[in-house]
Every structure is written in structure tokens, then in C-alpha cells.
Amino acid sequence: MLVKLGGSVITEKGSYRTLRADALSRLAQEIKASGAAVMIVHGAGSYGHIVAARHQLQKGYSNPSQIKGAAQVMEDVRALNLEVVSRLNRAGVASVSLPPSAVAELSGGALSGLDLDRFGRYNDLGIVPVTFGDVALDSKRKFGICSGDQLMESLAERFRPERIIFVTDVDGVFTADPHSDPRASLIENVDRAALDALPRSQRNADVTGSIFGKIEVMMRIASHGGDAVAINGLAPGRLEAALRGQRVIGSKVVGGAE
Ligand code: IPE
């Protein structure tokens, strides 16, 4: 099982470096309780996006004033990662941090290298590898942002998990933004046609792309054969049930045509 704990569920996205500590601790306990073998990716939320956007880090190097910003984001996402790893360890899920700033390489913003063997070897030892959205070196742009979704895709391609679970702060993929539109309804099976029908107003992109980009990644992952689902991590018990292979409220993303 491959799990992404989105920045929206483990942090308060609008308020700089604010952890959703209760949600994170509970999710760690749910992972333990499920008994599932997992690899974990987490987003950056308010530990990454705010400063990254201020310094336009996703576009790569353009001026020296970005350097302090890049270092600040790397420090902040490490702090978040330590919160995640500590809570997993405390819950009884032995975990290790694999920061993209140290184990990943970008090329023009695309993930071009990831030390996947290291993930496999820790996994074989019974230690859950935990990686996350981070700043990483870029061979063309000097540095860039390596998103949790890019990491999910690369890990899914290599390890072919049975199920890929994206955990967010909403029930799944909606016809409109559920935070602002009361008519938004949950799309249980997301395919290319459903994606094309989504209103473009959903395109309020953060530094790592819009919801469309995330769904595209999920469709590509699902096309490798696994099951890709998006669920609400703020609803107690859903992650545990999804890890047990049970049907839960959420969206199932059906493999997209490449
Ligand atoms: C963002 O990673 C990385 C940085 C801004 C440093 P993600 O795109 O995976 O994070 P979330 O889940 O949207 O917060």
C-alpha cells in the first residue's frame, strides 16, 4: 500500500507552519491498526507552499534572493517530516525519513532520479520509508520543487502497490470545490470523461499544480494496474478501512488512457 498524507489534512493550509497534530496522530494510529505494509509520502501544506510561492521556487533559480527561501522551505518541511515520523514511531510504525533534498533529482521540474533501492531496502527491513514534498536539486534549473504527487508516481511505478491512497481534507474528487460550493457532489468513479467535465474554476493552483494535475497523476498511477483512491483523512476510520482493502466513502480513480 502506498499512502499520501496530503498537506491539507496534516497541516492548516492557510496558516504558516501549523500542524493538525490530532489528525496526524490519529492517522498514524490508523496505519498501525490496519496492520498494512505501507510506504508513506506526505505533502508540505503550510510548511511549504507559502514560502515556496513567495520565492517562486517551483520555477527554479532566477535570483539570489531565492536561496534563503529555498533553505527555509527545506528546514520547514523537515520539521513537518519529523512530526510525521515521530508520530508514526510512537504509534508503533517504525519509520525512516528519506528527504528528496538528499535522495531525489529533478530535471526541468520533472523527477529524474530517486534512490528507489533505498526505499526497498528499508521496506525489507520492516522500516517504513517516509518521503515528502521538498525542494530538490534540478539539473536544468538548479533547484525546484519535488511534489509528493511526483514521488507517489515514481514509487508506484517501481513497487506496484496493491492500492494507492491519497488522503485529503475532503471526501474525494468533487464536481466543484466542496469548501465553497454547496452544490458540489462527490464523483465516486473518476475517469477521463469526469475529469474533462470538471469546471475550470477548480484551477486554483498552488505551487505544485491544481487538482487536475493531481487527478492526472492518479490516473497514470491507476493505469499501471493498482487501485487509486482519494479519501477524507479528517473522517476517523476511513484510512484504516481503506488500508484493510474495504470500500469507503471516496473517489476511485480509474486508469487514464496514456
Ligand atoms: C509541496 O508538496 C512541496 C513544497 C511546496 C515544498 P505537495 O504538493 O505534495 O504538498 P501538498 O500535499 O499539496 O501540501
Side-chain angles (χ1 to χ4, degrees), residues 21 26 38 41 46 62 78-79 87 91 101 103 105 148 165 229 245 255:
R26 179 178 44 74
V38 291
V41 175
S46 59
S62 59
R78 285 265 191 143
R87 280 171 171 77
S101 57
V103 300
E105 173 79 29
I165 305 170
V229 296

Side-chain angles (χ1 to χ4, degrees), residues 4 6-7 13 43-45 48-49 52 73 133-134 145-149 206-208 214:
K4 181 182 175 199
K13 269 203 117 164
H49 285 283
V73 170
D134 197 358
I145 297 286
C146 174
S147 76
D149 295 344
D206 55 33
V207 296
T208 50
K214 290 188 199 283

Side-chain angles (χ1 to χ4, degrees), residues 108-199:
L111 184 57
S112 57
L114 184 62
D115 189 353
L116 289 160
D117 282 347
R118 202 162 288 275
F119 284 78
R121 287 167 62 202
Y122 277 117
N123 182 63
D124 293 346
L125 258 183
I127 299 182
V128 172
V130 183
T131 190
F132 50 94
D134 197 358
V135 173
L137 292 170
D138 190 304
S139 56
K140 295 196 177 122
R141 302 175 179 171
K142 298 193 179 171
F143 63 74
I145 297 286
C146 174
S147 76
D149 295 344
Q150 287 171 303
L151 295 160
M152 288 291 280
E153 197 169 351
S154 175
L155 290 167
E157 223 167 74
R158 167 69 170 264
F159 296 105
R160 302 287 159 134
E162 220 175 291
R163 187 165 239 202
I164 296 125
I165 305 170
F166 284 77
V167 186
T168 70
D169 65 341
V170 291
D171 283 350
V173 177
F174 284 80
T175 52
D177 183 351
H179 290 305
S180 55
D181 188 340
R183 288 164 309 174
S185 65
L186 182 69
I187 308 172
E188 285 186 16
N189 291 297
V190 182
D191 55 14
R192 175 67 52 192
L195 181 64
D196 290 342
L198 288 178

